[in-house]
Amino acid sequence: MDDAGMQSWIWPLPEGGASNDQAALDTRWQVLLGRGGWQAEVLGQVGDDALRLYVRPSAAAAAPRLLIAAGFHGEEPAGPWGVLQFFERADAGLLDRLQLTVLPLVNASGFRAGRRFNDWGENPNRGHGASADAPPSREGRVLAAHGARLAALGASGVLSCHEDVKQPQHGYVYSLERAERPGAFSHALLAANARFFPLLPDGDVDGCHVRGGIVFNRYDGSFEAWMMEQGVGRAACVETPGRAPIGERIAAQAAMVEAFVRHPLDGA
Ligand SMILES: [Zn+2]
């Protein structure tokens, strides 16, 4: 555990309330699920919290299968709020062309505290899969018990929504593709991020080489790297600047979710 993982970051939301208000997040999801089309389930318990999974099946058997995860780190609230905002406003005709699965809030105890790590000081986005260099978190153990199914649900792509609280203004993307260099998938996410934030200049970020706003094909024990090990076609972890105005961060996250869901339909 390090101090940065235990610091608290909470922002007032543009629509009122606070960025760590889990009850408000849950209530808005319940309203959305109540419109129909979704199947809700509990993957497992983490302390007193249910780790929830929402699936929106497609009538088309061959529809691309996409998995979107948010809230691994509790000081990065624009991810969970941005994913919710996208689905609240999305056109049903677009969603119907895909099979969509959402992990709306992986690290609930961290989210309520506005703190990166969970209540046990664990980093829920480390310790996954073959590239892990740390033991899995409690959330990671629940996800690991469902690894094959999660990979099937995200066979066409996995998106994990993050923020970087060290960044006052720049956005960037970690992407993983079965290719030598970033392709259309990475660039579609990057372009959506760049509509809101300038891209991080080339150099090092958290010990990784970032080039053109992308950290490419890094296997680091993260959820997204593990999903690639499990066989999904492509994966990304998008990063908005955690010190920028939160309304812009939420809008950017929603825009990146839209770019992610549109990608497999482009040219199809
Ligand atoms: Zn993060």
Side-chain angles (χ1 to χ4, degrees), residues 109-130:
S109 66
F111 182 85
R112 288 192 298 272
R115 179 194 61 211
R116 184 173 186 79
F117 293 165
N118 65 16
D119 268 356
W120 301 270
E122 299 166 333
N123 181 345
N125 203 35
R126 285 292 180 272
H128 298 275

Side-chain angles (χ1 to χ4, degrees), residues 73 76 116 162-163:
H73 291 140
E76 306 173 8
R116 184 173 186 79
H162 286 251
E163 302 202 85

Side-chain angles (χ1 to χ4, degrees), residues 97-243:
R97 298 169 67 192
L98 301 154
Q99 182 193 279
L100 295 158
T101 301
V102 178
L103 289 162
L105 181 63
V106 172
N107 173 9
S109 66
F111 182 85
R112 288 192 298 272
R115 179 194 61 211
R116 184 173 186 79
F117 293 165
N118 65 16
D119 268 356
W120 301 270
E122 299 166 333
N123 181 345
N125 203 35
R126 285 292 180 272
H128 298 275
S131 58
D133 59 1
S137 64
R138 283 159 177 76
E139 292 81 1
R141 293 204 289 272
V142 171
L143 296 171
H146 300 272
R149 177 157 175 251
L150 291 171
L153 291 168
S156 309
V158 171
L159 178 69
S160 193
C161 297
H162 286 251
E163 302 202 85
D164 185 341
V165 290
K166 297 185 292 305
Q167 300 296 333
Q169 56 173 334
H170 294 107
Y172 59 102
V173 171
Y174 292 84
S175 67
L176 301 108
E177 298 190 50
R178 305 206 182 275
E180 297 271 317
R181 55 185 64 83
F185 170 73
S186 301
H187 286 289
L189 295 172
L190 198 66
N193 208 343
R195 282 168 41 207
F196 297 85
F197 302 112
L199 297 175
L200 195 64
D202 289 2
D204 278 356
V205 60
D206 287 334
C208 308
H209 189 61
V210 58
R211 190 173 199 176
I214 298 172
V215 178
F216 191 60
N217 279 351
R218 180 175 162 82
Y219 286 78
D220 53 4
S222 63
F223 175 74
E224 54 276 8
W226 172 53
M227 285 289 100
M228 287 295 281
E229 292 165 4
Q230 292 284 309
V232 306
R234 56 201 62 74
C237 159
V238 293
E239 301 272 357
T240 45
R243 299 190 191 200

